[in-house]
Amino acid sequence: MLYNLINGISLGSVYAIIALGYTMVYGIAKMLNFAHGDVIMVGGYMAYCASAYMGLPAIPSILFSMLVCTLLGIVIERLAYKPLRDATSLAVLITAIGVSYFLQNAALLVWSSTPVFFPKLIDLPSIKIGYITISAASIITILICVVIMIALTLFTNKTKMGKAMRAVSEDKGAAQLMGINVNGTISLTFAIGSGLAAIAGVLMLSTSPLLMPTTGSMPGIKAFTAAVFGGIGSIPGAMLGGILLGVIETFSKAYISTALSDAIVFAVLIVVLLVKPTGLLGKKVSEKV
């Protein structure tokens, strides 16, 4: 049981890191970036190319992947979402789906549909706790998730740019009147979220090394589910939702059915939203009319 719990927390940590990108973009720009899952795939391919073709070691490969995904996030925001700043939610949603399919098909053209095996960038000895052997990748994934969570919380609460993000989240018009660069703040949010997606992609592929153009689709959907589960727009909520989702999925596969694990995850989400529509840590916001 302890083995499954640690694996569940490790899987949930990956979901949490991806969900942080969703929740930051939604919390500040009020946009659902459904192309976020495909940025994970791009990050995986960039780390793969850096390691397999350029011969870079683990850390530089991960940093290269983060750099490319960060720039990609900024480009996506500028070209696809910035022109729709005042558009309806439906227009933004359709655009996000279009960007998602564009990234998947671009990956198909470049790398084809043949899966590749991701190199073992996290190559450390396993840790033995009693009679249980835990992979180093699982422990590192959990630690990285905690560090990212703490860093983002401090960034949004203590830094000038973090406070600007919170101001834009509350009221874009008032923030602009106070001299805050709203467009720059939103671009930074996309950059941070996309950089986190690259980290999540590498961590996910360290345990499930099969890489293909559709690799990020299901993890992206599950991470969005985690963000909604914890309360979309809340950074602690994204982490809590991700970890709970990972634990539920792992225990469902271990004790109920592998085939039904995804159905159980989404069923739990439905039950939680019926009881608490804003998610576990979400807050109800009243709008003036």
Side-chain angles (χ1 to χ4, degrees), residues 29-31 80-95 172:
K30 296 296 182 287
M31 293 179 179
Y81 298 133
K82 186 179 177 182
L84 301 175
R85 197 81 84 219
D86 298 319
T88 62
S89 299
L90 182 60
V92 176
L93 179 62
I94 292 170
T95 301
K172 290 188 186 70

Side-chain angles (χ1 to χ4, degrees), residues 9 13-14 16-17 20 139-154 203 235 239 243:
I9 294 173
S13 296
V14 174
I17 295 171
L20 284 169
I139 302 299
I140 290 172
T141 299
I142 295 168
L143 292 176
I144 288 175
C145 178
V146 172
V147 169
I148 288 173
M149 165 70 186
I150 294 170
L152 273 180
T153 302
L154 291 175
L203 294 174
I235 291 176
M239 183 174 181
I243 290 174

Side-chain angles (χ1 to χ4, degrees), residues 208-229:
S208 303
L210 207 60
L211 176 60
M212 62 184 75
T214 56
T215 292
S217 298
M218 185 53 74
I221 292 170
K222 289 181 178 177
F224 175 69
T225 303
V228 176
F229 190 25

Side-chain angles (χ1 to χ4, degrees), residues 17 93 97 109 115 128 159 179 193 226 244 258:
I17 295 171
L93 179 62
I97 294 170
L109 288 173
K128 198 162 185 178
T159 66
L244 286 177
T258 303

